[in-house]
Amino acid sequence: MDIRQLRYFVTVVEEAGFTRAAARLHLAQPGLSAQIRQLERELGQPLLDRSARSVTPTEVGEAVLPYARAALTAVEAIRQTVDEFTGLLRGHVHVGLVSGAGAAAHEFDLASVLAGFHDDHPQVEIVLTEDTSQHMLAALNRGHLDIAVIGLANEEAPPGISLQVVIDEPLVAAFPSDDPAITHGGRTSIPLAELRDRPLISLPRGTGVRGVLDRACMQAGFRPRIAFEAAAPPFLAELAARGLGVAVVPALREDAASAFGLRTLDITGPRLRGRIALAWRTDGPSGPAAAAFLDLLRATLS
């Protein structure tokens, strides 16, 4: 019995299908299916029910599953013990970056942190993916991600997740310079209620900024009119500059706003803030490589 086959079996169960499991394992689906069938032939019993759209374990598969997981845990513990004696750090680290955070990543220079860690630990493979905050949190809970950089829609961390805020800045409404909302007087802010009937340009659902905007509008008694959404804040600013709506974005420097032909007003009643945080499971990453990378991130981004 091959330990890889046990890992494949557990992954198919967790993903409820061969396609997603193959993508997660970076394997071709036919090869994955062949390995599972070989394991079933060796055991003399089918482990997976393939008759429905979602693949589920059979009665035998359910009974085998905890032992397969225990075997994988034991193998990982052996590797970690040997690594502790040799001083070698290896393995995989799966890092998630929320869509739209790339534009703000220069604030904490994530690329340099990744490069430095890779130079110090060349045998550690770092896998970086981009998605929405909601999907990242679900992936953290399932153990598919070790660490994520997410946008926060709520003040408190979800159950089982620890956070370290790395960016905390106000959200502003960005208008074309000739918009009537800003051409009268020297106003510097705008009540959220005044945006009720304005077409808005925002980050997509599932991002922290969008969650903050949607929740604030709901509490104010209206649903925001989202005319356009995109993952990159600079593109939102370009759309606003074209007169396609009011962009709700993290605060722009005055020179950056002017370069787009925009002026920004602080949103009040309530004041909205965009926060980006480092997130990880409270019980810690699953392996020493991920734990070491988390320690580096927390120290560097603090």
Side-chain angles (χ1 to χ4, degrees):
M1 188 181 304
D2 192 323
I3 193 68
R4 292 177 304 170
Q5 294 172 341
L6 296 180
R7 179 174 291 108
Y8 298 164
F9 165 61
V10 170
T11 303
V12 171
V13 172
E14 291 178 347
E15 296 295 340
F18 284 90
T19 301
R20 290 189 298 273
R24 177 176 158 189
L25 293 164
H26 307 290
L27 295 173
Q29 184 175 332
L32 174 61
S33 298
Q35 288 293 323
I36 296 294
R37 291 192 182 281
Q38 183 177 336
L39 176 62
E40 291 174 323
R41 285 195 297 270
E42 182 174 346
L43 294 175
Q45 290 287 338
L47 301 178
L48 297 171
D49 182 352
R50 303 163 173 83
S51 61
R53 293 187 62 181
S54 294
V55 177
T56 57
T58 62
E59 184 177 0
V60 174
E62 286 281 8
V64 167
L65 186 59
Y67 295 103
R69 284 179 167 146
L72 295 176
T73 299
V75 169
E76 183 60 27
I78 292 171
R79 290 198 180 107
Q80 291 182 20
T81 300
V82 173
D83 288 349
E84 288 174 0
F85 277 95
T86 61
L88 177 66
L89 195 61
R90 62 186 177 187
H92 296 78
V93 182
H94 295 267
V95 182
L97 182 66
V98 67
S99 301
H106 66 279
E107 298 284 349
F108 45 82
D109 202 4
L110 181 60
S112 292
V113 179
L114 288 166
F117 187 83
H118 176 70
D119 289 342
D120 292 338
H121 307 289
Q123 298 194 60
V124 175
E125 180 184 356
I126 300 176
V127 180
L128 181 65
T129 59
E130 187 178 67
D131 210 329
T132 66
S133 297
Q134 289 178 347
H135 290 164
M136 294 289 181
L137 288 170
L140 281 172
N141 280 318
R142 292 196 302 267
H144 296 175
L145 285 177
D146 296 303
I147 306 161
V149 179
I150 65 171
L152 298 180
N154 300 298
E155 294 294 326
E156 297 182 358
I161 299 295
S162 294
L163 300 173
Q164 177 176 319
V165 176
V166 295
I167 293 179
D168 187 344
E169 56 190 357
L171 299 182
V172 299
F175 298 82
S177 299
D178 59 353
D179 191 285
I182 58 175
T183 54
H184 300 294
R187 70 186 306 187
T188 60
S189 63
I190 184 170
L192 180 65
E194 284 193 30
L195 300 178
R196 176 191 297 264
D197 298 320
R198 298 290 300 256
L200 301 181
I201 304 169
S202 174
L203 292 172
R205 288 186 181 276
T207 58
V209 168
R210 179 62 175 276
V212 168
L213 174 63
D214 286 347
R215 189 178 71 252
C217 291
M218 181 180 66
Q219 292 172 347
F222 68 94
R223 295 180 61 183
R225 290 179 53 199
I226 304 299
F228 295 94
E229 56 182 33
F235 186 56
L236 302 182
E238 290 183 18
L239 293 175
R242 297 284 184 174
L244 296 175
V246 179
V248 178
V249 292
L252 296 170
R253 297 192 312 271
E254 185 174 350
D255 58 340
S258 297
F260 283 110
L262 297 172
R263 283 186 56 195
T264 62
L265 299 178
D266 293 336
I267 300 172
T268 59
R271 292 187 179 274
L272 308 185
R273 300 196 68 82
R275 298 189 302 155
I276 293 177
L278 191 64
W280 65 94
R281 290 187 305 281
T282 301
D283 58 2
S286 58
F293 187 56
L294 175 61
D295 289 342
L296 175 64
L297 283 173
R298 294 192 67 189
T300 304
L301 306 184
S302 61

